[in-house]
Amino acid sequence: MVKPMSSNVAERKLHSHSLDTGMSDGLPIAPHTQILVLNNSYEPINITNWKRAIVLLLKEKAQALSNRVIRLVNYIRIPYAKIVAATPTRAMIYKRDNNKCQYCGSTRSLTIDHVIPRSKGGQDTWDNLVVACASCNVKKGDKLLEQTNMTLARKPFTPYNKVQFTLSYSEVPEWREFLFV
Ligand SMILES: [Zn+2]
């Protein structure tokens, strides 16, 4: 059982963190902001509010890497099913496919294509949705891939970690370096 930290100790810890990071406002992380939580492996696992982040720092369960990023001291295992969105949003598909038509590489007039058409039982799943330009989408139409002479640049896949997608829309520059850890 870990003894709860007295508030004095907690304040000193905050202060020493602030010295370490050169922050002048006395906090190791930016108050009133969202904080990126990295696993011990630097893999992004969560985005939390600053108060929760402070608690993790005070309990010495995390260390501040910058004023918008903390890293867990211990590696935590996260069940795969919990971190991956079962149904991807359109934005997630665009991001995964790098805003490029997966048939011809075009970056213009993009839409989402069902590799196995909906009419043939294709679902809105990670492995059945790809970015396609309007002309490839029309060309492929209601056919199966095998019935066309078209090929996919890359087999559509279920991403490893949905936080990566959140990061990719974020405007916090210091989060971006952890996008594809
Ligand atoms: Zn295309």
Side-chain angles (χ1 to χ4, degrees), residues 74 97 110:
N74 294 309
D97 291 348
L110 298 179

Side-chain angles (χ1 to χ4, degrees), residues 101-106 108 110 131-137 150:
C101 173
Q102 294 299 290
Y103 297 109
C104 75
S106 171
R108 301 175 67 184
L110 298 179
V131 171
C133 71
S135 73
C136 285
N137 210 336
M150 302 164 80

Side-chain angles (χ1 to χ4, degrees), residues 14-27:
L14 269 177
H15 188 60
S16 76
H17 268 291
S18 68
L19 289 178
D20 289 349
T21 53
M23 298 286 293
S24 55
D25 59 10
L27 287 174

